[in-house]
Amino acid sequence: SATNITADHNPAQYGLMYDTNFVSNTERTSLMHLETLEARLSTAQAHLAKEAIRTAYLALAEFHRLRGDLKESLRHVLRSRDFCTNTRQTGQVCLMVIELGVDMRNYMLVRDYVTKAEHTSDLLHTDPLFASKLRVASSLAHVHDGRYAEAARKMATVSPELTNQFNTVIAPEDIALYGALLGMAALDRSELQELILDSSTFKGRLELVPVLREALRHYVLAEYGPCLSLLSGLLPDLSLDIHLRPHAETLFNMIRDRCVVQYFTPYSKVSLQIMGDCFGTPLDSMERIVANLLKTGKIRCARINSLEKTLVAESPEQFRRRKKAETRKRVAKLGRTFLNETESMILRLSCVENDLIIGDGRKGGGGGWGGYGGGGRSKGRGRIFVPGGAGGGQGGMGAMEIAGMYGIDDEDSSDGDDVMDVDDLMAINPESV
């Protein structure tokens, strides 16, 4: 019942008491502080002091951010941008907007202001920390979009001087964690070696996460079992990560798939049982993983022998035969499509040469078609209207004559309307028209 649920989750049983006096005093103090800040803004606006107005807006933005009112904080920060007098102040405002965008999970706003900061501020060349903060924000936006390779490249180029200066967005340990995980999942071996393992800007950061450093070492040595074991131990912590939590399982699966592909590359035949023992995975799960890799095309030119439980690479002759069969199917399909389109084009040209007008059957008689007589009926199907027929046009053959020429029983023309169904006309051989 609801009473039992409330009792089970009562904070009092953990020694946590709701202090009404503290809440009321805090609210009163915050209200007084807000009134002071608004009065300071009004005074600055009355004196038309741009710097004082900008400072007052930023103070109000910080006040609302600390209270958790991020939308109101963002509104004040954006208004302060109109009162910036130099590029440094503009860059500061852009960084504040980026921080609020990350907190609000509004990554479109983050991307927009990263671009604005890169094009409107000269701090990129004078302040290495400013450029590194923009790279971190851009990397988080790429992670949110699932563009893991771009995110890894951005994170790998962050300056080692950036430590706790951007801790409202990311911790220095997380820079190493994100860069290494994203690199293992999305970068090839040569790029991983260049940007992560041998990079003077990133290699030192791996000392902050010893477990990940060891996992990278096993990965480079092709010791995939210990590597995946260490990474699986990180999954509980990653499930609590503020940025990587939605992507942790996906990244782990991408790293595992990459390891399986690299393991099979030098072999022509390998036992799934041995692969499962190497990766610490049961045989059935290993078979499903390999089957999925074959389906997605990550492992090419190979097949699973379900009787022997082996993965066998195709021989060159088998590969050539399979490619030849696929090419033959594509050519046959292309030929059928070409013939159908050619016949349709000949039929349409024949209709034009014989003054046959194709209608949809919804336009009745009276007005005629293209200046010719009417007489058509609406029966829900397409009709061929023949100028000069019963409707009163000039010259030409009627539908009855055309139907007689090609052996079609035109029942719809029995009552005098000079029409013929499109379905009947499709049976005509275009070469005889």
Side-chain angles (χ1 to χ4, degrees):
S1 64
T3 305
N4 293 334
I5 293 175
T6 305
D8 293 339
H9 296 82
N10 187 3
Q13 65 179 342
Y14 302 106
L16 303 174
M17 304 301 295
Y18 182 74
D19 192 345
T20 57
N21 293 330
F22 171 79
V23 174
S24 59
N25 291 335
T26 303
E27 289 289 345
R28 192 181 306 111
T29 304
S30 298
L31 183 59
M32 293 173 59
H33 190 199
L34 178 60
E35 292 175 352
T36 302
L37 293 176
E38 290 177 345
R40 185 184 303 171
L41 175 62
S42 300
T43 302
Q45 289 174 336
H47 290 84
L48 299 178
K50 294 186 66 174
E51 179 62 23
I53 294 174
R54 186 186 71 85
T55 305
Y57 272 126
L58 293 180
L60 280 169
E62 181 65 17
F63 170 81
H64 288 293
R65 188 185 70 82
L66 293 176
R67 284 181 58 85
D69 191 354
L70 300 180
K71 291 185 178 179
E72 190 67 18
S73 176
L74 178 62
R75 186 176 71 86
H76 285 95
V77 172
L78 292 177
R79 295 192 66 177
S80 72
R81 191 167 183 263
D82 298 332
F83 300 93
C84 294
T85 56
N86 54 59
T87 56
R88 181 173 291 276
Q89 293 177 356
T90 303
Q92 178 190 7
V93 170
C94 288
L95 278 180
M96 293 184 69
V97 173
I98 288 169
E99 292 180 23
L100 291 171
V102 171
D103 291 338
M104 298 168 64
R105 302 293 183 268
N106 187 349
Y107 289 100
M108 183 178 295
L109 181 69
V110 172
R111 285 191 294 271
D112 290 343
Y113 273 84
V114 166
T115 304
K116 289 181 180 180
E118 290 175 345
H119 289 86
T120 62
S121 178
D122 58 356
L123 296 176
L124 292 174
H125 307 289
T126 59
D127 187 0
L129 294 183
F130 182 80
S132 296
K133 292 175 182 179
L134 295 183
R135 292 192 187 100
V136 168
S138 180
S139 177
L140 293 178
H142 287 317
V143 169
H144 177 266
D145 295 339
R147 302 167 61 183
Y148 300 128
E150 291 85 349
R153 296 185 185 101
K154 289 285 186 181
M155 202 67 75
T157 55
V158 173
S159 172
E161 298 178 6
L162 182 65
T163 53
N164 293 316
Q165 295 89 343
F166 207 38
N167 56 10
T168 55
V169 174
I170 193 170
E173 294 84 359
D174 289 341
I175 296 177
L177 177 66
Y178 293 6
L181 275 179
L182 294 169
M184 293 173 67
L187 301 181
D188 55 32
R189 276 184 169 269
S190 59
E191 199 169 6
L192 180 68
Q193 189 79 27
E194 178 184 355
L195 295 178
I196 303 297
L197 298 174
D198 295 339
S199 173
S200 58
T201 60
F202 195 86
K203 187 176 181 179
R205 291 188 181 275
L206 294 176
E207 301 298 327
L208 301 175
V209 192
V211 176
L212 196 57
R213 181 194 61 201
E214 291 299 314
L216 274 170
R217 185 178 65 83
H218 289 301
Y219 180 82
V220 171
L221 296 176
E223 299 171 352
Y224 300 121
C227 173
L228 295 178
S229 177
L230 290 172
L231 292 178
S232 62
L234 290 175
L235 284 178
D237 294 335
L238 292 177
S239 64
L240 302 176
D241 190 274
I242 191 172
H243 299 299
L244 280 190
R245 182 187 61 80
H247 310 276
E249 194 69 28
T250 302
L251 290 173
F252 179 78
N253 291 336
M254 290 175 65
I255 295 173
R256 182 201 60 203
D257 293 347
R258 188 177 289 267
C259 290
V260 172
V261 172
Q262 293 178 1
Y263 180 91
F264 176 68
T265 299
Y267 297 104
S268 60
K269 182 178 181 180
V270 64
S271 170
L272 295 178
Q273 182 64 55
I274 296 177
M275 287 183 67
D277 295 341
C278 178
F279 286 92
T281 305
L283 177 60
D284 294 339
S285 299
M286 194 74 241
E287 187 172 359
R288 285 195 298 271
I289 292 171
V290 173
N292 183 63
L293 292 175
L294 290 171
K295 185 186 300 183
T296 56
K298 295 180 180 179
I299 294 181
R300 298 177 181 272
C301 307
R303 294 181 180 180
I304 295 177
N305 187 333
S306 298
L307 294 177
E308 299 180 0
K309 297 299 180 182
T310 57
L311 179 62
V312 183
E314 291 182 339
S315 65
E317 182 62 27
Q318 291 174 331
F319 177 74
R320 282 194 295 271
R321 284 202 301 266
R322 182 169 60 84
K323 285 297 182 182
K324 187 182 295 185
E326 293 176 356
T327 303
R328 190 179 296 113
K329 289 181 180 179
R330 287 198 300 269
V331 171
K333 182 179 179 181
L334 183 61
R336 289 192 298 269
T337 303
F338 176 76
L339 287 176
N340 292 335
E341 292 179 353
T342 303
E343 289 180 1
S344 301
M345 182 176 62
I346 293 174
L347 180 59
R348 178 170 290 275
L349 291 175
S350 300
C351 290
V352 172
E353 290 178 356
N354 291 274
D355 291 333
L356 300 179
I357 302 172
I358 301 175
D360 60 2
R362 288 191 294 272
K363 298 186 178 180
W369 291 78
Y372 296 103
R377 293 178 302 169
S378 175
K379 289 190 177 181
R381 293 194 299 170
R383 296 289 188 269
I384 304 299
F385 293 83
V386 185
Q394 300 177 357
M397 296 191 305
M400 293 289 290
E401 288 82 353
I402 296 177
M405 288 176 57
Y406 296 104
I408 298 173
D409 185 13
D410 188 17
E411 297 178 355
D412 289 339
S413 300
S414 60
D415 57 354
D417 289 340
D418 209 6
V419 298
M420 183 168 60
D421 288 339
V422 175
D423 295 338
D424 294 335
L425 187 62
M426 292 301 294
I428 299 175
N429 183 4
E431 297 180 356
S432 64
V433 178

